[in-house]
């Protein structure tokens, strides 16, 4: 998706980065939980810390949405 000149891009990068980090965390969660269901040896503790990227990605994306909303609000106030 291309961003045109009319679209505010204040938080776009944060939202995209947050989405990627969230997906990495989601894949890590599936990979680390799968051995528990398959009855194999579980991964060591550091592998579970990678799963926390899911929450970090969500926070990054939420910060991008808030930043974009604030930029739109500032633009609306300055044009009025």
């Amino acid at each position: 998706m291309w961003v045109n000149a009319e679209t505010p891009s204040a938080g776009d990068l944060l939202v995209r980065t947050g989405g990627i980090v969230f997906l990495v965390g989601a894949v890590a969660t599936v990979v680390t939980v799968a051995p528990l269901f398959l009855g194999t040896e579980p991964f060591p503790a550091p592998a579970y810390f990678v799963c926390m990227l899911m929450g970090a990605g969500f926070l990054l994306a939420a910060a991008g949405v808030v930043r974009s909303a604030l930029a739109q609000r500032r633009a609306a106030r300055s044009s009025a």
Side-chain angles (χ1 to χ4, degrees):
M1 179 170 76
W2 294 98
V3 179
N4 60 18
E6 297 173 1
T7 304
S9 62
D12 287 347
L13 184 62
L14 276 175
V15 171
R16 290 179 185 159
T17 305
I20 292 168
V21 171
F22 181 85
L23 287 176
V24 168
V27 169
T29 300
V30 169
V31 168
T32 54
V33 172
L36 301 175
F37 290 116
L38 299 174
T40 61
E41 187 71 27
F43 287 104
Y48 290 94
F49 292 123
V50 179
C51 297
M52 292 182 190
L53 288 176
M54 206 160 89
F58 182 78
L59 288 175
L60 277 172
V65 169
V66 169
R67 186 174 178 186
S68 180
L70 290 175
Q72 286 179 356
R73 182 184 293 177
R74 269 186 257 118
R77 284 185 183 170
S78 67
S79 69

